[in-house]
Amino acid sequence: MVHKLVLVAVLALAAVTLAEKKPISVAPLVDKLSNANPMPKIPEGYKSENARTTGHLFRTRVDHFNPQKRETFQFEYFSNDEYYRPGGPIFVVVGGNHAISPYFLEHGHFHDVAHYENAWMFTNEHRFYGNSMPTEDLSVENLRYLTVEQAMVDLAEWIFHLRNSVVRDPNARVILLGTGYSGAIATWMRQRYPHLVEGAWVSSGQIEARFNFKEYAEEVGEVIRDFGSDECYSQIWRAFRTAENLIDAGLGSTVADLFNTCEPIYVDDITMLDVETFFWHVKTALQRAVLEEQDTETTEELCEQLNNSTEVTDLQTIANWVHDFYDFLDCMPFDFDAAIDAHQYVDPKVPENAVYGLRQRTYQLCTEFGWFLTADSHDQPFGYRVSMYFFLNICRAIYGNWLYSEVVYDGIHLTNMHFGGKNPRISNVLFTNGGLDPVRDVSITEYYLPGSGAIVIPGYFGSEDVHSISGYNSPEMLEAKHSIHTFIESWLWEPIVPI
């Protein structure tokens, strides 16, 4: 899913820094924490060996909304015509905030439905991710071309090209699949371009932009209670409160020593950001431990490890767990400057940007979507020191003082105003969500317009439904996958006039 949140742990994924505060490669830490907001599982290092899967380039404009700017760039896409028969539909796996992969053109439930429906499959790479760069670097000036509206026009022009120049069937019906952030794109493509898109399946889609996504921590806390234990939840709660109280009492050095932070922890008007950054890292690591494998066993293992600790205090228990989690670090670079330095690469080819999209993802969060994972709710175990103050300062420190709080808020408000938030008012769209997925709170879990629906699958995390039908699927998952195919068939053979 961004790319499930896209929601996204990327603000804290990259904090390794030299003592003199020069940015260095943080790819190992990004890789370690990227599963705090997992995408659908793809085997590591997957490369296609299918001769019918081929890579291509499509040329489009850098700026679709300025007729005086005629520069162009090329984005990558993959094609697989293995099951296509003349008159068949076009199935598109919509690219999101990550590098392109052909995996779901060759595997998964959408692929299986494509086989049954004789569809030609495609997937695109989103502008500014992977190798699809409209500009030479990722400077703030160039990132102005990184908007969802620009990406949607890229997609619309490409679909028109596929119909008329690749498949050579201008009447071919087009079905989209999107997960996470790309699920939002798929939804809005059906809304804005109903003449190009017949229907959209949206798995764990992040549909509603949200300034303060405090509910995410609540959902993770509930998973800890339900599949770990109440005591495990309480251990985490007590550890965070103990650390907060020690820091407030002027004993930040005690916390710094326990966690072996690279920089001391003090409290004043400047270093309060260091305090929030510290707690953000610990919170994000625990979230990753819960969500890493997208199953409940990881939560059981986490809580078993914490419950069996022989340390005297809960804070010592969490500190030791963090040391094990970051066992490749000599010290914990949990200060604000380190987090900012990690986002300063403007070279799109460094792994932080080419593989993980660190600078790009964060820019989209700050200017269009929010999804800031705070600890502002009382109904979660991760303390209260990860606030909007931290995220707003992250945005401004990385991209400049022009990005002050009102600009961030307005960008999020405009996204919901343009697309309708949780009420996009479109037909022929199916929203599927896992009942354990924290992202479902910004998705759509009830929807009743023509040719549309919403399914919540109990016992699953994000986008588990995109994989092929399996004997390991629950009855509810099997029913959901059969419903997905039924909806797609109805869009192909029982067209509904857009509303």
Side-chain angles (χ1 to χ4, degrees), residues 54 56-60 64 75-80 90-95 100 105 120-126 151-167 174-176 189 196:
T54 55
H56 306 269
L57 295 171
F58 178 73
R59 183 172 295 279
T60 189
H64 296 289
F75 65 78
E76 294 188 1
Y77 74 90
F78 284 106
S79 164
N80 185 323
I90 294 171
F91 281 14
V92 176
V93 181
V94 178
I100 193 172
L105 301 191
W120 194 327
M121 298 194 74
F122 298 91
T123 188
N124 68 299
E125 188 163 68
H126 191 298
M152 288 170 63
V153 181
D154 293 345
L155 194 55
E157 289 191 344
W158 176 59
I159 289 172
F160 184 86
H161 167 75
L162 295 180
R163 268 182 166 171
N164 291 277
S165 301
V166 179
V167 177
V174 177
I175 307 297
L176 307 184
M189 286 295 295
L196 294 177

Side-chain angles (χ1 to χ4, degrees), residues 145-157:
Y145 303 117
L146 176 54
T147 69
V148 70
E149 295 273 13
Q150 296 277 10
M152 288 170 63
V153 181
D154 293 345
L155 194 55
E157 289 191 344

Side-chain angles (χ1 to χ4, degrees), residues 198-226:
E198 259 68 40
W201 167 26
V202 180
S203 176
S204 299
Q206 296 166 225
I207 309 301
E208 181 187 57
R210 187 170 297 179
F211 190 62
N212 184 343
F213 194 4
K214 60 185 178 181
E215 297 82 4
Y216 192 94
E218 294 177 2
E219 297 291 348
V220 175
E222 283 303 306
V223 172
I224 293 171
R225 280 192 189 276
D226 292 342

Side-chain angles (χ1 to χ4, degrees), residues 309-328:
S309 172
T310 58
E311 293 295 342
V312 176
T313 68
D314 297 309
L315 183 58
Q316 289 174 307
T317 296
I318 295 296
N320 284 351
W321 181 88
V322 168
H323 292 157
D324 292 339
F325 184 77
Y326 293 110
D327 60 1
F328 54 93

Side-chain angles (χ1 to χ4, degrees), residues 265-301:
I265 300 176
Y266 300 117
V267 179
D268 58 38
D269 290 342
I270 297 176
T271 59
M272 195 64 214
L273 286 170
D274 287 339
V275 172
E276 295 222 9
T277 306
F278 166 79
F279 284 111
W280 169 247
H281 272 285
V282 179
K283 170 179 176 286
T284 302
L286 289 164
Q287 287 175 180
R288 181 266 191 183
V290 170
L291 300 173
E292 176 182 12
E293 296 297 333
Q294 296 283 275
D295 62 39
T296 58
E297 291 179 4
T298 53
T299 303
E300 295 172 8
E301 292 169 1

Side-chain angles (χ1 to χ4, degrees), residues 236-258:
I236 296 170
W237 190 97
R238 291 191 298 264
F240 272 83
R241 267 55 178 195
T242 301
E244 290 166 349
N245 291 338
L246 286 170
I247 292 171
D248 289 345
L251 298 174
S253 59
T254 300
V255 178
D257 289 343
L258 277 174

Side-chain angles (χ1 to χ4, degrees), residues 218-404:
E218 294 177 2
E219 297 291 348
V220 175
E222 283 303 306
V223 172
I224 293 171
R225 280 192 189 276
D226 292 342
F227 300 97
S229 65
D230 288 339
E231 175 56 25
C232 180
Y233 182 102
S234 297
Q235 274 187 287
I236 296 170
W237 190 97
R238 291 191 298 264
F240 272 83
R241 267 55 178 195
T242 301
E244 290 166 349
N245 291 338
L246 286 170
I247 292 171
D248 289 345
L251 298 174
S253 59
T254 300
V255 178
D257 289 343
L258 277 174
F259 284 84
N260 187 31
T261 61
C262 301
E263 299 293 331
I265 300 176
Y266 300 117
V267 179
D268 58 38
D269 290 342
I270 297 176
T271 59
M272 195 64 214
L273 286 170
D274 287 339
V275 172
E276 295 222 9
T277 306
F278 166 79
F279 284 111
W280 169 247
H281 272 285
V282 179
K283 170 179 176 286
T284 302
L286 289 164
Q287 287 175 180
R288 181 266 191 183
V290 170
L291 300 173
E292 176 182 12
E293 296 297 333
Q294 296 283 275
D295 62 39
T296 58
E297 291 179 4
T298 53
T299 303
E300 295 172 8
E301 292 169 1
L302 166 68
C303 288
E304 183 178 355
Q305 185 176 353
L306 298 183
N307 293 159
N308 291 338
S309 172
T310 58
E311 293 295 342
V312 176
T313 68
D314 297 309
L315 183 58
Q316 289 174 307
T317 296
I318 295 296
N320 284 351
W321 181 88
V322 168
H323 292 157
D324 292 339
F325 184 77
Y326 293 110
D327 60 1
F328 54 93
L329 296 176
D330 294 329
C331 62
M332 303 300 143
F334 291 175
D335 57 287
F336 185 74
D337 286 348
I340 297 306
D341 286 346
H343 290 76
Q344 295 304 319
Y345 295 107
V346 297
D347 182 356
K349 295 181 180 179
V350 299
E352 290 80 359
N353 297 328
V355 178
Y356 303 105
L358 181 66
R359 183 170 170 86
Q360 305 97 296
R361 289 190 189 193
T362 306
Y363 182 81
Q364 289 194 277
L365 299 184
C366 292
T367 57
E368 294 187 286
F369 303 118
W371 299 323
F372 298 120
L373 307 185
T374 70
D376 285 345
S377 169
H378 295 296
D379 298 323
Q380 49 82 28
F382 306 109
Y384 61 91
R385 284 288 175 78
V386 183
S387 69
M388 286 305 305
Y389 172 74
F390 166 69
F391 291 104
L392 292 172
N393 276 279
I394 281 276
C395 293
R396 185 163 55 247
I398 296 170
Y399 304 108
N401 289 331
W402 64 274
L403 196 54
Y404 52 91

Side-chain angles (χ1 to χ4, degrees), residues 443-461:
S443 187
I444 294 176
T445 55
E446 293 186 8
Y447 201 70
Y448 302 105
L449 290 180
S452 302
I455 302 170
V456 177
I457 309 164
Y460 286 87
F461 289 88

